[in-house]
Amino acid sequence: MDSRQSELASALVEHIEIGVIILDSELRIQYWNSFISQRSGKALEQAQQQPLTHIFPEADTPCLNEMLALTREHGERACPEGREKPYLIQLPFDISGEYAPLMLQNTLLFPFKSSEGQSLFGLLLYDSTDFTRNNKQLDATLHALSSKQFEQEQLIKKLEKANAQLMQSEKLAAIGQLAAGVAHEINNPIGYVFSNLRTLASYVHDLLRIIDRVDSAANLDELRQLKRSLEYDYIRSDVEALIGESEDGIERVKKIITALKDFSHFEEDEFRLADLHRGLDTTLKVVNNELKYKAEVIKEYGQLPAVECMPSQINQVMMNLLVNAAHAIEQFGRITLRSGHENGWAWLEVEDSGQGIAPHLLNRIYEPFFTTKPVGKGTGLGLSLSYNIVRKHSGRIEVFSTLGQGTRFRVWLPIQQPTQPQAQTQAQEDIARYE
Ligand SMILES: Nc1ncnc2c1ncn2[C@@H]1O[C@H](COP(=O)(O)OP(=O)(O)O)[C@@H](O)[C@H]1O
Ligand SMILES: [Mg+2]
């Protein structure tokens, strides 16, 4: 460095708003700049060659020793956390000599050698009050943010709870619908079994009269006449028909009840291997009442292996699709059920010849509460519930619709559930998307 350069450097050091102290290897003060003189109120001349901690006893702290040790050991600068240790050296005055303690400091200690090869330390002090104040503001903002986040988490929890309740109420609505359907379905056979019973009772009454007469009748002719007058031949032929019919009726009721039992394991929440065709047939029986006046049901089942699923939940999905299909048909139409599998996936399909879905509504149908049906008929939760169930199965739902012609829903389910839990897979998908 030529003299011009060192002149410039010294001028700079005298003017910067940073305290500069030069110490020898024993930490004796060699030099400090005017920033230190002004702020400490001490004169450099009196401090020169004095140990730093004599002039600034407050600096005699474990912190200084630590910095020193680090600097000596690694030959590198050390910088204690300004926020925890408010100051190393007390500098109580501001630039105009007013009392304004500069209490928050960042400190930097580093070794260097003079041009003569003397080992020295540079100690830099600078005011970190603003920085700390900003930090504090940042901290406050962060704190506010994190409490906001907490609020949001609470809100999300509430939403999840409300959602679960909604799903529950949709299940209840489905059960209500089911109960109504089943009542209707059972009412008919029970009705005629009951009326048959009454006819049979009157027949039995007549038959008993004939048999009772056996003991008191004077002759066979009298008995024959009674038989004729009570139309015994007709009773005889009708009794068989009545019993046969009643048996059929009871059989139907029995079937419906078995189907209901199969269907209604609503609480069941475990994956197991299931025959999807059987589930679909059961579901069909249960919603038969909704379908039979609206559509001819055509089954075009393919081959299906046993599929790992929660069968009652898949039944619920198929029930929603079937009921929607029936609702979409205005007069009388067709509902076709298909199935198949490929590459480890099984699918079930419900196609209707109903009114179809307008293209601009297609991406809204899975929204909770989205319904185009009049109040009382639609809850708008059926497809949203179904979507959640299928997602829980790591599956997906496809929909194809042509306005005025019909709609086809296809549910894809993995034949075997992936070994990773669904949540994790989803998280990985999300990560992959952001990468
Ligand atoms: N098979 C279908 N044909 C026509 N529209 C359908 C069909 N399935 C669903 N939708 C439409 O999707 C909406 C939402 O269905 P969903 O969630 O089951 O609720 P909801 O049946 O109570 O209205 C229905 O209101 C209807 O507009
Ligand atoms: Mg519905």
Side-chain angles (χ1 to χ4, degrees), residues 102 104-105 126-138:
L102 166 54
L104 296 169
Q105 294 168 1
Y126 52 93
D127 184 355
S128 62
T129 317
D130 277 354
F131 176 77
T132 309
R133 194 184 305 124
N134 288 344
N135 256 346
K136 274 208 183 110
Q137 270 169 4
L138 254 177

Side-chain angles (χ1 to χ4, degrees), residues 116-132:
E116 294 96 47
Q118 189 192 357
S119 285
L120 297 167
F121 288 110
L123 177 63
L124 304 187
L125 306 169
Y126 52 93
D127 184 355
S128 62
T129 317
D130 277 354
F131 176 77
T132 309

Side-chain angles (χ1 to χ4, degrees), residues 274-280 301-307 338-342 345-349 411 413 415:
D275 175 355
L276 294 185
H277 288 146
R278 190 177 152 197
L280 194 50
Y301 292 174
Q303 293 288 317
L304 271 187
V307 173
R338 298 191 193 88
S339 61
H341 72 101
E342 59 191 64
W345 289 78
W347 53 267
L348 292 175
E349 196 171 272
V411 175
L413 297 173
I415 292 168

Side-chain angles (χ1 to χ4, degrees), residues 320 324 327 373 382-383:
N320 291 336
N324 280 348
H327 283 167
K373 295 171 191 173
L383 283 181

Side-chain angles (χ1 to χ4, degrees), residues 170 320-329 350-352 354-358 361 364-374 377-386 399 401 406-409:
E170 165 72 357
N320 291 336
L321 297 183
L322 284 166
V323 171
N324 280 348
H327 283 167
I329 294 169
V350 177
E351 181 171 24
D352 65 63
Q355 66 202 13
I357 305 170
L361 297 182
R364 299 204 50 202
I365 56 176
Y366 301 108
E367 283 174 22
F369 297 117
F370 177 77
T371 181
T372 54
K373 295 171 191 173
K377 187 154 193 193
T379 58
L381 290 171
L383 283 181
S384 139
L385 177 70
S386 303
V399 54
S401 190
T407 306
R408 180 161 62 90
F409 278 93

